[in-house]
Amino acid sequence: MPTPSFSIPMLDLPGEYQCIKTDIDSAIARVIASGRFILGEEVISFERELSAYLGLAHTVGVASGTDALKLTLQALGVTPGDEVVMPTLNYISDGEVVAQLGAKPVFMDSGEDMNIDVAAVERALTAKTKAVIAVHFHGLPADVDKLADLLADKKIYLIEDCAQALGAKLSGNKVSTFGVAGCFSFFPSKNLGAYGDAGAVATDNVHLAEGLRLIRAHYQRSRYQSDAFGYNSRLDALQAAILRAKLPHLDDWNHRRQEAAKLYQAGLTDLTGKIGLPQVPAHKEHVYYQYAVTTPRRDELKAYLAERGMESQIHYPYPLHIMPAYSYLGYKAGDFPVAERLCKETLSLPLYPLIPRENVERVISTIHDFFK
Ligand SMILES: *Cc1c(COP(=O)(O)O)cnc(C)c1O
């Protein structure tokens, strides 16, 4: 939502809606007229279209990105006693779902690119490691090619958390195609956003897809009969119809995000030494769910921008390992110094597909004023 007190907001979902209003309105009207609101044809069509976009065989729509992760872990057989490795610089849901299944989250530091440190993962693997969750942070692909190689002959699953990175590529291949599954969130602010909560899992593994379809609807192989325990985690038809209307725009919107990021990059590069900018290696394509900079004066910079009508956000202020929920695991401040510093120094700047060029330019010149 644009925050009324900011003349330059982080994002502008009503503005985006105005651009595609005809398609969205007719999609919503179509679903309401059909009388079919949960799963059904609309969801099946969206699943097919997302599979085609990703080049994967199966997509299973679920209620949220959090559920995409949780149902995937459960379908892969994660149970108490198992360990699941993930970055501590992360959204809260990744650790939560592992703990809810009774398994143990094992946290890792990140590199300066804000993605999981592959060498640290290698050192952390044990006989109990069942899966590694790699998060493509802010839309920049993690080194899932290296992780896939590392895990290939070890019977450890690689799960890609693609919630921030739909459409991002590594050596020409889309994220979600390196691990056993890619988990997606369609939270409204994500690169492909629903008008409510929604998520999906994409995979080439037919057994995983079948398991997910059962788990998302109470594990009913036949109606009103549960073979095991699942959830009510179905994607609803209205969200699927909205996502279907938006998916054809995704590549163009990601391209526009990249263009805005280029403006920031060009406009801020002379501040090197004062401010850290995203560094994108040539074999990676970043889709800029967030354009984030780093500075030890992060909180001051945020306040300075806010006083001048410019919104900025902190994603995320705390790494998972020091959150109260995980105190039982015995981690402490100082265990993961890179992630801890990045949580204190990282600031996301306004960026969305239709951001006016002059907004980016005003933010750039205000950041220059701040460092003068
Ligand atoms: C948004 C997000 C999620 C959770 O998605 P929800 O749809 O909000 O449940 C999980 N992981 C990451 C990295 C995210 O950005």
Side-chain angles (χ1 to χ4, degrees), residues 64-66 69 90-91 93-94 135 161 163-164 185 187 190 198 316:
S64 68
T66 302
L69 290 160
N90 201 342
Y91 182 60
S93 55
D94 296 56
V135 183
D161 180 344
Q164 305 188 354
S185 164
F187 184 80
K190 300 283 160 84
Y316 301 100

Side-chain angles (χ1 to χ4, degrees), residues 17-284:
Y17 166 62
Q18 287 309 320
C19 293
I20 51 169
K21 187 176 184 315
T22 323
D23 290 350
I24 295 286
D25 291 356
S26 72
I28 290 173
R30 180 175 76 232
V31 173
I32 295 173
S34 80
R36 185 81 208 259
F37 299 108
I38 307 288
L39 298 177
E41 275 311 311
E42 206 68 54
V43 171
I44 291 168
S45 297
F46 171 65
E47 290 175 340
R48 219 177 269 138
E49 287 156 16
L50 187 62
S51 294
Y53 176 81
L54 296 168
L56 287 170
H58 312 279
T59 295
V60 180
V62 295
S64 68
T66 302
D67 278 3
L69 290 160
K70 184 173 185 179
L71 274 58
T72 297
L73 291 165
Q74 182 169 330
L76 291 173
V78 170
T79 48
D82 291 335
E83 295 179 354
V84 178
V85 173
M86 70 186 71
T88 187
L89 179 56
N90 201 342
Y91 182 60
I92 50 179
S93 55
D94 296 56
E96 178 180 58
V97 295
V98 170
Q100 283 168 340
L101 292 172
K104 182 179 170 189
V106 175
F107 298 124
M108 290 294 112
D109 211 349
S110 289
E112 292 298 331
D113 67 351
M114 307 196 192
N115 277 323
I116 195 165
D117 179 339
V118 177
V121 172
E122 186 164 13
R123 291 192 295 273
L125 300 179
T126 72
K128 293 180 183 168
T129 311
K130 182 88 175 189
V132 174
I133 302 176
V135 183
H136 304 293
F137 204 70
H138 287 168
L140 175 68
D143 291 330
V144 280
D145 48 352
K146 292 183 189 144
L147 284 171
D149 287 346
L150 173 68
L151 303 178
D153 50 1
K154 291 193 168 66
K155 291 192 173 161
I156 298 172
Y157 295 113
L158 172 61
I159 298 167
E160 293 179 71
D161 180 344
C162 305
Q164 305 188 354
L166 177 52
K169 290 181 192 161
L170 183 62
S171 303
N173 298 305
K174 287 196 172 117
V175 300
S176 76
T177 61
F178 292 85
V180 64
C183 296
F184 293 95
S185 164
F186 308 116
F187 184 80
S189 68
K190 300 283 160 84
N191 292 34
L192 182 67
Y195 292 158
D197 278 312
V201 184
T203 180
D204 266 339
N205 184 316
V206 66
H207 302 292
L208 174 59
E210 280 170 2
L212 288 164
R213 287 183 202 286
L214 288 169
I215 295 172
R216 77 173 167 184
H218 307 296
Y219 226 105
Q220 301 168 89
R221 250 183 245 282
S222 56
R223 206 161 181 209
Y224 302 127
Q225 171 125 307
S226 287
D227 292 1
F229 295 127
Y231 305 95
N232 173 357
S233 181
R234 300 167 301 207
L235 177 59
D236 68 63
L238 275 171
Q239 300 307 339
I242 289 159
L243 293 167
R244 290 184 71 198
K246 286 185 164 197
L247 184 57
H249 298 280
L250 177 67
D251 281 342
D252 174 50
W253 287 344
N254 278 346
H255 180 70
R256 288 168 184 265
R257 286 176 185 272
Q258 290 162 344
E259 292 298 307
K262 260 190 221 161
L263 286 179
Y264 275 124
Q265 205 80 357
L268 296 171
T269 175
D270 60 315
L271 294 176
T272 308
K274 294 180 174 143
I275 198 168
L277 306 179
Q279 300 300 323
V280 185
H283 69 296
K284 292 187 181 181

